[in-house]
Amino acid sequence: MAATALPPLPPQFKSIQHHLRTAQELDKREPVVAYYCRLYAMQTGMKIDSKTPECRKFLSKLMDQLEAMKKQFGDNEAITQEIVGSAHVENYALKMFLYADNEDRAGQFHKNMIKSFYTASLLIDVLTVFGELTEENAQHRKYARWKAAYIHNCLKNGETPQPGPIGIEGESFADAEREDAGSSSLPSGTTQPTSSSSTYEANNTPTSNYTGIHIPPGAHAPANTPAEVPHNTGVTSNTIQPAPQNIPLVDPSLYNAQSAEEVRLTPEDFARAQKYCKYAGSALQYEDVSTAVQNLQKALKLLITGRE
């Protein structure tokens, strides 16, 4: 855990305050994710304002934290290799999303599932330090933010939220932001989507209807999503039990497949195969055998045939 204390957050950096708060919460149980949360905050802060004295001072201290963490966890592949770090952060973000989505679809609405939705969206923000988001992750980020605001507003107003993707006529992220501004109705310790965070940007978020957006149920989460509740998230609900794992059958054609002489693997092919292997390794950290097998088969097929 980084020991260097940060100075007060400059007003210019309000958009990264929740990412920094998430980093603090994850310092002990997920230091790799905490590191990349701070890296995202650092990169974003540099783009916002790196010239005014208060911003320069803040960014300098934040850089000290990053250097301290890098020194402390310098032997961790997820810190030294971006492809491993990307897989680790993505798995944890989608793990949070899957837990919240399962609770939502089961009609179990509470502060921890709201926080999980919102934290998942923040961690998908963090994935941009590795490059452009996939369409799937961008969709999950929008949906998770909308769900966090929608369920919070319903509970605050004494209404029963509707589970799963629904159409809410007339409600937008901007509406949710205005309603949440200054609200203290969420229990302490819950990361609340408020107007102090620019993660609610009306110009790049869907506004009113989610009936046309396909977000798969938790049982059919994205391929590299571990199918368990995140460890040590403070969640006490016992309503969701880890789902039995359906181990996919190994494609029998891979046993006898031989690489054709004309197959020439490109550097991009090798990079994709490596990424599949890293995803498999990350999935095994969460005992998600099904995801590991799927990704290993993808890597093997790519290396043998040159095709995915």
Side-chain angles (χ1 to χ4, degrees):
M1 176 178 173
T4 306
L6 293 175
L9 185 76
Q12 298 94 312
F13 291 164
K14 283 184 178 181
S15 64
I16 60 174
Q17 68 174 347
H18 292 298
H19 301 86
L20 291 171
R21 183 179 302 169
T22 299
Q24 289 181 321
E25 293 174 350
L26 296 177
D27 267 327
K28 292 184 178 180
R29 63 177 179 266
E30 282 290 340
V32 168
V33 181
Y35 171 82
Y36 284 111
C37 284
R38 289 189 173 91
L39 182 59
Y40 170 84
M42 180 73 188
Q43 292 181 354
T44 304
M46 291 288 288
K47 295 175 183 177
I48 295 173
D49 188 344
S50 61
K51 296 181 179 180
T52 59
E54 61 177 351
C55 291
R56 288 173 63 90
K57 180 181 179 181
F58 186 88
L59 292 173
S60 177
K61 292 297 184 181
L62 182 56
M63 187 176 294
D64 289 342
Q65 284 193 348
L66 285 167
E67 289 300 321
M69 294 187 76
K70 199 168 186 178
K71 183 177 180 180
Q72 182 179 358
F73 303 106
D75 58 345
N76 191 318
E77 277 192 338
I79 298 293
T80 60
Q81 298 184 34
E82 283 195 355
I83 193 169
V84 185
S86 176
H88 189 94
V89 175
E90 184 175 21
N91 268 307
Y92 194 77
L94 294 179
K95 194 179 182 73
M96 297 288 286
F97 179 92
L98 175 59
Y99 164 72
D101 189 49
N102 275 331
E103 291 285 80
D104 175 39
R105 292 171 187 271
Q108 302 293 329
F109 305 109
H110 49 82
K111 66 176 183 178
N112 281 321
M113 65 92 70
I114 296 173
K115 181 173 182 177
S116 291
F117 264 134
Y118 190 57
T119 300
S121 76
L122 296 177
L123 296 182
I124 296 175
D125 283 341
V126 172
L127 287 174
T128 60
V129 304
F130 305 107
E132 187 177 353
L133 291 180
T134 64
E135 182 179 350
E136 183 179 57
N137 280 336
Q139 187 180 54
H140 278 77
R141 178 175 63 178
K142 290 179 181 180
Y143 182 79
R145 283 180 184 157
W146 170 74
K147 265 295 181 179
Y150 166 67
I151 296 173
H152 168 62
N153 289 337
C154 284
L155 297 182
K156 181 181 67 175
N157 297 328
E159 302 170 357
T160 301
Q162 297 183 47
I166 54 176
I168 305 296
E169 294 301 331
E171 179 170 358
S172 67
F173 283 101
D175 296 334
E177 177 183 351
R178 285 191 293 271
E179 290 180 21
D180 278 345
S183 171
S184 60
S185 59
L186 284 178
S188 61
T190 300
T191 303
Q192 173 182 318
T194 68
S195 61
S196 60
S197 171
S198 69
T199 52
Y200 287 83
E201 297 177 1
N203 63 344
N204 66 357
T205 51
T207 55
S208 64
N209 197 314
Y210 265 86
T211 53
I213 299 296
H214 176 63
I215 299 293
H220 301 89
N224 56 335
T225 307
E228 298 177 13
V229 175
H231 296 297
N232 302 319
T233 57
V235 176
T236 57
S237 173
N238 294 320
T239 58
I240 300 296
Q241 298 296 327
Q245 298 196 37
N246 296 317
I247 309 302
L249 294 176
V250 176
D251 185 353
S253 66
L254 294 177
Y255 288 118
N256 301 317
Q258 294 183 357
S259 179
E261 292 183 2
E262 65 272 14
V263 172
R264 295 291 184 269
L265 297 177
T266 66
E268 290 76 16
D269 291 330
F270 285 112
R272 286 199 299 272
Q274 184 182 24
K275 187 173 183 179
Y276 285 135
C277 290
K278 297 302 182 183
Y279 279 148
S282 185
L284 288 176
Q285 292 181 352
Y286 298 106
E287 300 179 1
D288 185 357
V289 179
S290 177
T291 296
V293 171
Q294 289 174 5
N295 281 284
L296 289 173
Q297 287 195 86
K298 289 179 181 179
L300 185 58
K301 181 178 180 181
L302 178 60
L303 293 174
I304 292 175
T305 67
R307 300 187 305 273
E308 294 189 64

